[in-house]
Structures are given as C-alpha cells and as structure tokens.
Amino acid sequence: MRDWKVYWMLPVLVVCFAGIFALVLSLEGAPVGAVGYALLLCLVLGALVYGLCLLHAWRQRERLREALQKLPYTLEADALPPCLAPGETVYQQALIDLQRAYALLESQTGRKRADMLDYYTLWVHQIKTPIAAMRLLLQGEPHPAGRELTAELFRIEQYADMALQYLRLDSESSDFVFRSCALDEIVRQAVRKYAPLFIRSQIGLVYDGLDETVLTDSKWLGFVIEQLLSNALKYTPRGTVTISQDGPQTLVIADTGIGIAPEDLPRICEKGFTGYNGRTGQKSTGIGLYLCSRVLKKLGHGFSIVSEPGKGTRVTIDLSMVTLPRE
C-alpha cells in the first residue's frame, strides 16, 4: 500500500499549488472572478491529471498481478509493466532472477525425485525375486515356522509395495486411468491376495459378490481395498470381516475388531498418526489410512470411517462421487 500514498499526496499538492496561484493573483489586484476562474481551471486540470495517474497505476498493478499469477512459470521482463521509477527496475529484475532460480531448483528437484522413483521401482521389482524364491522354498515346509515365515514374507512384500505407491502418489506420472470397472473383480483380486492371512488368522470373511460397475482407477482402488483389508486383519484378533454394499456404488468394509478410540477418529488419516491402538499394539505405521485418504481424494471418491471401541470399525467408500481435485 506504500506506493498508493504517493497518489494520495497528488491532490493535496494540486490544492496547495492552486491556492498559492490564486493568492498571488489576488495580491496583484486581479478581479475576484478571474481569480476564482483560474483556481477552478487549476483544480479541474489537477483532477484530470490525478485521474489519469490513478488509471495508469491501476492498469500497471493489474498487469503486474497477472504476471505474478503465472509464477512459477517463466517470467520475462516484457511480461511486467513498465517501470515508473528507477527503483522499480531493480525490484523487477530481482523478481525475474528469483523466478529463474526457483525454476532451476524445481527442475533439479524434479530430476532427483524421478531418479529416486526409478530407483525404488527397480528395488521393489528386484526384492520381489528373492521373496518369491523364499516363498517357493517354504511351500514344502510342513513345520509351523514355515507358515509363520510365509506370512512375514507377505508383509515384507506389502510394505515394499506401499513404499512404491507412496512415492508414485505425488509423482506427475501417477498414471490415474479412469474407466468403467467391475467392482466385484477389483474386490476379489484383493481378497485372493489376503486369503492366506484370513486362513492363518482364522478370521471369517463375509462376501457374497457385488454386481456393480463404477468409474474409477482399478489399480489404485484395489490398493485402497488391500490396505483396508490389511487394517481389518491387523486389528481383528477374532471375528469376521464383511465386504458389502450400502446403497448404489457404495462399498463397505466392516470388521468386528478392537475398534478406534473416539478421540483418535478425527486424526486417523493424518500422516504418521498411530493413535491408542498403534501405541499399545506397536503394529501401526500411521501410513496406511493416510495413503488411502489421499488416493481416494485423487480418485474423487467419498470416504468415511465409523468405529466403536470393542465393537469394530466400518469404512464406507462412496464410489458414485468422481470429483477430481484441482492441484
């Protein structure tokens, strides 16, 4: 607002100069009518000049605002309004230099992130080879320890996939592809993946199939369902996990587990938040539900969780919503 103080001083100066001019004319014995007429002309001319200055300043301000809105894209000198004072040239050049430095830093950060994503992608694919080999070696192992090791190998593979999806989520190549998908097929694929853990944990699964077609990305929605099934298994020592519908295009995953404390519910989707269950059982990483909420937000699907300690948790995904966020 400091630059506008100069323009507020202009009418004061005009009035002062007009008053001095009128005073000099009156002291020289000029007629009152002539003095008044000269004073009026000065004021009208001053008001006209003042209005033109304000209009020019407003246009300059709007042009500068439009140029700044283009940041962090390339900002060149011709995109900025002409300078009215020598000091403005220095500020505009500093702004251009800052934007170029930011663009260079952003480019370097993007390359580093792309390299890191490529590395973790390669690492996940490579680590799956020894995991598959160990799983084959343990298939013929009748000892109970073999089944325990197989379950742990499954968790290792799951965490490796989670790390990869975590990186891909913020990548420009997140490859979200929306198409009409059979919801039953997506759910069954996740269920087949976690079937050994259901059997090992002796947790019942209630699922009668879904006759529903939804507009979504099958890969990312499948990732969300897998994470929700993993949480249900993790916090259900005994009982059942139910997958059902609660209305058209509404997927519900409910369990009869230990539930979530009421004070933890508002924060369970925060990054790194483990809550009471995570601190006591030391099983939670605070990443699973955070990733689910972010993926569903990018997919444009609604998401809600209702839980009661000792009675279980109910997760509802509204697949009828496909409101893509502007990022």
Side-chain angles (χ1 to χ4, degrees):
M1 294 297 295
R2 292 182 179 179
D3 55 338
W4 289 98
K5 291 183 178 180
V6 177
Y7 295 99
W8 287 116
M9 292 172 60
L10 287 178
V12 177
L13 293 176
V14 169
V15 171
C16 291
F17 291 151
I20 294 173
F21 179 68
L23 178 62
V24 171
L25 288 179
S26 62
L27 291 176
E28 292 294 329
V32 177
V35 173
Y37 183 70
L39 178 62
L40 180 61
L41 285 178
C42 290
L43 292 177
V44 171
L45 182 61
L48 180 61
V49 173
Y50 177 64
L52 291 176
C53 289
L54 284 181
L55 179 61
H56 180 68
W58 178 80
R59 287 178 177 176
Q60 245 196 339
R61 180 176 176 179
E62 291 301 311
R63 186 176 174 184
L64 179 60
R65 180 178 298 175
E66 292 176 0
L68 294 179
Q69 286 177 349
K70 297 178 181 179
L71 291 173
Y73 304 102
T74 303
L75 181 65
E76 299 297 339
D78 57 357
L80 297 172
C83 299
L84 295 180
E88 292 186 7
T89 306
V90 178
Y91 287 120
Q92 289 191 4
Q93 187 60 45
L95 179 62
I96 293 173
D97 293 340
L98 180 62
Q99 188 276 333
R100 289 174 179 172
Y102 176 83
L104 178 61
L105 179 61
E106 187 179 45
S107 177
Q108 293 174 347
T109 303
R111 286 196 299 268
K112 290 180 180 179
R113 183 172 186 83
D115 292 341
M116 183 173 60
L117 180 59
D118 291 340
Y119 169 76
Y120 276 104
T121 302
L122 178 62
W123 181 84
V124 169
H125 286 295
Q126 288 180 335
I127 201 66
K128 284 185 176 182
T129 301
I131 289 175
M134 286 187 285
R135 184 178 289 111
L136 288 174
L137 292 173
L138 291 171
Q139 279 183 354
E141 180 61 48
H143 196 274
R147 292 190 292 271
E148 294 291 334
L149 289 173
T150 301
E152 295 303 323
L153 280 176
F154 179 82
R155 291 192 179 94
I156 292 174
E157 189 174 15
Q158 177 192 8
Y159 292 145
D161 288 335
M162 185 185 297
L164 181 61
Q165 301 297 351
Y166 181 85
L167 291 172
R168 283 179 172 172
L169 195 57
D170 285 327
S171 173
E172 293 181 356
S173 58
S174 295
D175 65 349
F176 284 92
V177 179
F178 289 85
R179 58 168 58 97
S180 295
C181 306
L183 183 59
D184 181 73
E185 182 178 343
I186 301 174
V187 174
R188 287 188 184 277
Q189 186 175 354
V191 168
R192 282 194 295 268
K193 183 175 181 179
Y194 280 84
L197 288 185
F198 275 98
I199 296 173
R200 176 178 171 272
S201 303
Q202 297 183 349
I203 303 297
L205 175 65
V206 179
Y207 178 60
D208 297 327
L210 300 171
D211 185 15
E212 194 74 65
T213 301
V214 296
L215 179 62
T216 188
D217 183 294
S218 59
K219 184 187 73 173
W220 284 99
L221 180 59
F223 170 77
V224 170
I225 295 174
E226 289 176 7
Q227 291 301 312
L228 295 177
L229 290 178
S230 175
N231 278 0
L233 285 167
K234 188 184 300 182
Y235 297 109
T236 306
R238 65 181 62 86
T240 59
V241 175
T242 304
I243 304 176
S244 60
Q245 280 187 258
D246 186 15
Q249 296 192 336
T250 302
L251 180 65
V252 176
I253 299 178
D255 62 63
T256 58
I258 60 177
I260 303 171
E263 61 271 18
D264 290 341
L265 270 176
R267 300 185 57 194
I268 54 176
C269 291
E270 293 182 9
K271 182 181 178 180
F273 181 75
T274 58
Y276 176 78
N277 294 337
R279 291 190 296 271
T280 55
Q282 297 183 352
K283 296 179 179 180
S284 177
T285 60
I287 296 296
L289 285 178
Y290 165 74
L291 288 177
C292 288
S293 63
R294 289 202 58 196
V295 170
L296 290 172
K297 182 178 180 180
K298 285 181 174 289
L299 292 175
H301 299 326
F303 177 59
S304 64
I305 299 178
V306 178
S307 184
E308 187 176 348
K311 295 187 178 180
T313 302
R314 177 186 176 92
V315 181
T316 302
I317 303 175
D318 186 358
L319 298 167
S320 64
M321 299 172 60
V322 189
T323 306
L324 302 183
R326 297 179 179 179
E327 296 185 352

